[in-house]
Amino acid sequence: MSLISLDNCNTRFKEETMADREEIKAKLRDNFAGKIVRKDLTKKIKEGANVPVYVLEFLLGQYCGSDDEEIIEQGVEKVKKILADNFVRPDEAQKTLSILRSKGFYTVIDKVTINLNIRTDTYEAEFSNLGITGIPISEEYPEKFDRLLCGGIWCIVQLEYEYNEEDKRSNPIKIAKLTPIQMPHVDINELKEGRKAFTKEEWMDVLLRSIGMEPDQLSEREKWLLLLRLVPLVENNYNLCELGPRSTGKSHIYKEISPNSILVSGGQTTVANLFYNMGKRTVGLVGLWDCVAFDEVAGIKFKDKDGIQIMKDYMASGSFARGKEEKAASASMVFVGNINQSVDVLLKTSSLFDPFPPEMGTDTAFLDRIHCYLPGWEVPKFRPDHFTDDYGFITDYFAEFIRELRKTQESDALDKYFKLGKNLNQRDTISVRKTISGLVKLLYPNEDYTKDQLEEIVRIALEMRRRVKEQLKKIGGMEFYDVNFSYIDNDTFEEKYVSVPEQGSSTLIPEGMCNPGQIYTVSTGKSGMIGLFRLESQILPGNGKLTCNGIGSSREARESTQNAFNYLKANSNRISQSISTTTKDYIIQYQDLQGIGMTDTLSLPTLIALCSIAIQKPAVSSLAVLGDISVSGTVSKVDNLANTLQVCLDSGAKKVLLPITSAVDLGTVPPELVGCFNLIFFNNAEDAVFKALGVE
């Protein structure tokens, strides 16, 4: 293609994009007048003012609701001035109070919490940044805006100051007027009606622009992943995990977009803070917020020993027991953190839950309660052009209608067209249905969607839960072997399977022939976990010496390798006349590919590796060697066969060399798993060598 035609294509694409944008903007004005804002204005001021987005957009909606650039410019300056004059910075609290005292009145923007003082039977306000408490306030405000009683909200407050010499005990600061920067209510029917004017693609773009992202810079897959971040805000008791690189905006939504969610920075927390304070008899964060997000999961620690146990109880049932009673709450739990290694490395060496603290990351009961694992490594690192300068919903309105949607349930949406496959247990089913419900409510609040549109959502929901299950299988073994998730079409009865994209690259045993002397074996490592080990060999002129590298200081492992060499010395002629154990030196490198500690089940794989390098014949392709031999050649069967075969499958093995003595244990292995391999049985050590090297 010529440069001219390429330029023409680019110009045409830009024109189409602009036309689409104008059409969406026109629809927004027609259906949601007064509830939209230009997001670049938010971005412009946000960069220089450390205030929540919903505070900014409340002001911008008041002063910049026009297309006239001159009016917008004046409005922006007005907003900047208001923020400069009225927004209370914590370090300037005393300065603000001094101005209030000297003027006698002052308007501030601050986060206000109201408490009922039972002793005096009056309501008292607490100002977060201003740092003052016990300010009397009219009871009309907590009655009208109950969120003031539940953790506080940002408000514009007109304060008055009048010191009474006669009554020095009274508070000189009074609240003349309080205006919450949050929509008091939202008409959900208006939203449903407005949604009818948009296509699925247009509505998705509107939602993404409402959280500040520019959909034109994102692929279809990336759009879906960003939408998934919103599901905990729209679905009750939804547990989401997102781990990925830095600078992908993992915590942005939970901190800036919604005033109904709270971000708990990594570090110590307590049961009292999170769930229930028995001393004060007050409910914790899960009762006050719609969503509790934990940033930097690696640092999560509970001071209380029973903290994680209570969290598990809550994540499973939405309730927890403290003292004599059981408390219920609807807050979703979100865990976000950074992955410091590449995904391929993590998949090969440990699990995708590795960044979690050990008491969580290895606890299968805790991890099984996670409904969705969002692959954060697929979200792009944000650049300036990823942020929109187009129209989206005012954050107040967006947050409130999302909150309103929590009251409805769409978990039965699946049943209209599909049913889930037999490999999903009860927890899997609940997880998938919750994800479907959340995405349906976000994209189709008017409940108007086609079969194909629902199928798209079903596939994503299955993938997000399967990612959790795949990692559970790695950590917990055969208990979680059933990972082949599928759904069945109610009309055609066709069963379709859903895979996890990253699993395809995780095979450690390569396809095709390996080099001579290269052998893969699966057995139990020093840590007690089952893993994959690789042996690589070299042969040199010498006087019959064996050098083993990589087995560390383990006496059992060293004895196992020596047993193999001694057996070869005694029986080399029975295997091949070309094997010499007196004029050659052998070097074998042992590698623990999954970081579980070196195994001591090495006699058989070492013998096969020595024979392979000695006669320069590679092992058959995609082979995993199981079992072991004694110094006299006695074959020992494989312990924990089902789990061992599962690791073989995960590692990419297609053929498995298995002692005939283990055939009796095949009844303990699921038939689906057995069917994944070409099983090659052997009777003795020489038989194992011949079959491993493909010698008839």
Side-chain angles (χ1 to χ4, degrees):
M1 188 181 285
S2 70
L3 284 174
I4 294 170
S5 60
L6 190 63
D7 286 344
N8 288 339
C9 285
N10 288 338
T11 306
R12 199 158 48 252
F13 176 74
K14 284 177 184 174
E15 285 171 356
E16 286 171 2
T17 303
M18 289 305 294
D20 290 344
R21 285 189 176 196
E22 287 300 321
E23 192 176 341
I24 293 173
K25 195 194 302 182
K27 288 181 179 180
L28 281 171
R29 285 223 177 93
D30 291 344
N31 295 279
F32 298 101
K35 298 180 178 70
I36 56 173
V37 69
R38 247 178 60 190
K39 295 289 176 174
D40 64 322
L41 302 179
T42 309
K43 184 170 61 176
K44 195 185 291 183
I45 303 177
K46 176 69 182 161
E47 286 167 358
N50 189 21
V51 294
V53 170
Y54 38 91
V55 175
L56 270 182
E57 293 193 351
F58 176 84
L59 295 169
L60 288 168
Q62 283 193 323
Y63 298 103
C64 304
S66 170
D67 257 352
D68 189 322
E69 284 296 329
E70 193 175 334
I71 294 172
I72 287 174
E73 198 61 41
Q74 289 171 1
V76 168
E77 291 306 315
K78 180 79 172 169
V79 171
K80 283 182 177 176
K81 190 171 184 328
I82 290 171
L83 288 173
D85 294 343
N86 305 115
F87 180 77
V88 180
R89 288 174 48 176
D91 58 334
E92 294 181 352
Q94 288 303 313
K95 179 183 168 184
T96 304
L97 290 172
S98 177
I99 296 169
L100 172 62
R101 178 180 174 272
S102 61
K103 284 187 173 181
F105 60 90
Y106 197 66
T107 301
V108 299
I109 299 173
D110 201 351
K111 191 176 183 183
V112 180
T113 308
I114 293 180
N115 301 302
L116 176 64
N117 189 331
I118 298 171
R119 290 176 185 167
T120 59
D121 191 31
T122 57
Y123 287 104
E124 294 174 350
E126 178 185 332
F127 289 72
S128 176
N129 287 1
L130 205 52
I132 54 175
T133 57
I135 311 300
I137 186 169
S138 168
E139 62 184 47
E140 68 173 290
Y141 293 113
E143 284 173 7
K144 277 170 61 181
F145 313 112
D146 57 356
R147 257 326 257 180
L148 287 163
L149 297 160
C150 308
I153 53 175
W154 285 84
C155 303
I156 296 176
V157 190
Q158 292 175 18
L159 296 175
E160 291 177 350
Y161 190 98
E162 188 179 349
Y163 185 71
N164 191 341
E165 282 283 353
E166 295 174 5
D167 186 7
K168 293 185 179 181
R169 289 188 177 179
S170 68
N171 200 315
I173 300 174
K174 304 284 188 296
I175 293 173
K177 188 181 177 185
L178 181 146
T179 308
I181 302 177
Q182 182 180 347
M183 297 197 73
H185 66 275
V186 64
D187 185 351
I188 202 70
N189 291 321
E190 180 194 44
L191 174 81
K192 290 178 179 180
E193 280 300 312
R195 167 66 180 90
K196 291 177 182 177
F198 299 82
T199 65
K200 182 217 89 176
E201 287 76 18
E202 288 173 344
W203 187 251
M204 190 183 269
D205 288 359
V206 169
L207 292 178
L208 290 169
R209 288 193 180 113
S210 298
I211 62 172
M213 308 312 298
E214 179 46 65
D216 292 344
Q217 298 292 326
L218 300 166
S219 68
E220 189 72 12
R221 170 83 170 169
E222 288 162 356
K223 288 181 186 180
W224 278 106
L225 295 179
L226 290 180
L227 278 183
L228 275 165
R229 289 177 175 174
L230 294 170
V231 174
L233 299 172
V234 83
E235 197 67 21
N236 292 321
N237 300 109
Y238 188 78
N239 308 318
L240 178 141
C241 164
E242 180 182 359
L243 303 176
R246 291 163 181 81
S247 305
T248 56
K250 293 186 289 293
S251 57
H252 172 71
I253 282 176
Y254 312 110
K255 188 173 184 177
E256 298 285 0
I257 298 302
S258 176
N260 307 315
S261 67
I262 187 167
L263 186 71
V264 180
S265 296
Q268 283 200 342
T269 187
T270 61
V271 171
N273 177 48
L274 198 56
F275 296 106
Y276 190 75
N277 190 320
M278 292 180 68
K280 294 180 180 176
R281 295 187 177 275
T282 54
V283 72
L285 298 176
V286 294
L288 299 175
W289 300 91
D290 290 348
C291 175
V292 179
F294 293 88
D295 198 7
E296 305 297 344
V297 292
I300 297 174
K301 282 189 178 69
F302 276 96
K303 286 185 179 178
D304 322 71
K305 288 183 181 175
D306 58 347
I308 288 175
Q309 200 56 46
I310 293 171
M311 185 181 271
K312 284 197 292 195
D313 182 20
Y314 175 74
M315 286 168 71
S317 63
S319 61
F320 52 92
R322 293 293 283 162
K324 294 179 181 178
E325 55 186 324
E326 190 172 60
K327 300 284 181 184
S330 61
S332 297
M333 303 286 258
V334 175
F335 304 90
V336 296
N338 298 319
I339 288 179
N340 297 317
Q341 301 159 286
S342 76
V343 176
D344 280 354
V345 170
L346 272 183
L347 284 167
K348 291 174 183 179
T349 59
S350 56
S351 82
L352 292 176
F353 289 114
D354 192 57
F356 275 82
E359 58 271 23
M360 291 179 173
T362 56
D363 185 345
T364 54
F366 171 82
L367 300 175
D368 198 20
R369 288 158 164 79
I370 292 174
H371 300 132
C372 167
Y373 189 133
L374 201 159
W377 53 89
E378 290 189 42
V379 178
K381 288 199 172 196
F382 290 152
R383 302 184 308 274
D385 58 348
H386 278 117
F387 299 97
T388 191
D389 57 1
D390 214 329
Y391 281 83
F393 290 125
I394 290 175
T395 305
D396 303 344
Y397 180 70
F398 183 65
E400 284 307 308
F401 87 62
I402 273 183
R403 193 171 197 222
E404 195 68 20
L405 288 170
R406 289 174 78 89
K407 297 174 184 176
T408 61
Q409 281 299 319
E410 293 290 341
S411 51
D412 59 345
L414 170 84
D415 303 328
K416 292 181 185 177
Y417 302 110
F418 307 101
K419 58 175 178 277
L420 298 173
K422 64 179 187 303
N423 268 359
L424 284 89
N425 62 28
Q426 182 62 14
R427 277 207 177 129
D428 300 328
T429 304
I430 291 168
S431 301
V432 170
R433 285 184 178 275
K434 273 182 172 284
T435 308
I436 291 170
S437 173
L439 288 173
V440 165
K441 284 192 281 188
L442 280 167
L443 283 169
Y444 310 103
N446 56 339
E447 299 175 30
D448 182 15
Y449 48 84
T450 64
K451 183 178 179 179
D452 288 345
Q453 287 170 336
L454 183 66
E455 185 172 10
E456 199 173 17
I457 289 173
V458 170
R459 292 191 69 85
I460 285 172
L462 282 165
E463 181 205 318
M464 297 303 144
R465 175 60 186 176
R466 178 168 175 173
R467 186 170 286 106
V468 175
K469 204 69 180 287
E470 288 280 3
Q471 303 316 303
L472 284 170
K473 185 178 71 176
K474 279 193 168 187
I475 300 165
M478 281 314 294
E479 185 186 350
F480 304 100
Y481 86 92
D482 45 356
V483 295
N484 291 317
F485 286 6
S486 62
Y487 61 98
I488 299 161
D489 190 310
N490 286 344
D491 297 328
T492 63
F493 300 107
E494 182 187 0
E495 188 169 12
K496 296 179 184 177
Y497 288 86
V498 176
S499 60
V500 185
E502 67 271 8
Q503 284 302 117
S505 63
S506 67
T507 55
L508 292 162
I509 300 175
E511 292 187 18
M513 288 288 185
C514 296
N515 297 324
Q518 189 170 320
I519 299 293
Y520 291 88
T521 183
V522 174
S523 55
T524 305
K526 194 175 180 180
S527 64
M529 292 176 69
I530 299 169
L532 181 71
F533 303 88
R534 180 168 65 204
L535 286 69
E536 292 183 293
S537 320
Q538 282 296 337
I539 188 168
L540 303 165
N543 52 9
K545 189 171 72 174
L546 174 66
T547 305
C548 298
N549 300 322
I551 56 176
S553 57
S554 170
R555 184 173 58 84
E556 291 83 1
R558 203 161 289 281
E559 284 176 1
S560 186
T561 59
Q562 198 56 49
N563 282 348
F565 195 52
N566 291 338
Y567 183 86
L568 186 64
K569 284 179 179 176
N571 300 282
S572 60
N573 288 338
R574 291 163 60 184
I575 297 168
S576 172
Q577 296 293 327
S578 59
I579 298 175
S580 171
T581 55
T582 54
T583 61
K584 302 288 183 183
D585 285 348
Y586 297 86
I587 303 167
I588 301 185
Q589 175 76 36
Y590 297 85
Q591 287 176 284
D592 170 11
L593 293 177
Q594 292 173 317
I596 62 168
M598 186 49 64
T599 180
D600 53 17
T601 310
L602 292 172
S603 295
L604 181 63
T606 301
L607 176 66
I608 296 170
L610 290 168
C611 294
S612 172
I613 194 71
I615 63 177
Q616 290 294 302
K617 187 169 179 60
V620 295
S621 63
S622 306
L623 179 75
V625 174
L626 305 186
D628 210 15
I629 56 168
S630 67
V631 67
S632 62
T634 306
V635 176
S636 55
K637 70 177 200 175
V638 180
D639 295 326
N640 205 346
L641 182 61
N643 282 336
T644 304
L645 285 174
Q646 185 63 61
V647 174
C648 290
L649 180 65
D650 296 341
S651 302
K654 293 186 173 61
K655 303 182 185 78
V656 174
L657 189 70
L658 196 64
I660 194 70
T661 49
S662 292
V664 293
D665 295 334
L666 286 173
T668 64
V669 184
E672 300 93 339
L673 185 56
V674 176
C676 294
F677 304 107
N678 176 7
L679 297 178
I680 306 168
F681 292 101
F682 64 90
N683 294 298
N684 52 48
E686 289 87 5
D687 190 30
V689 172
F690 292 146
K691 286 175 175 172
L693 303 183
V695 179
E696 297 297 326

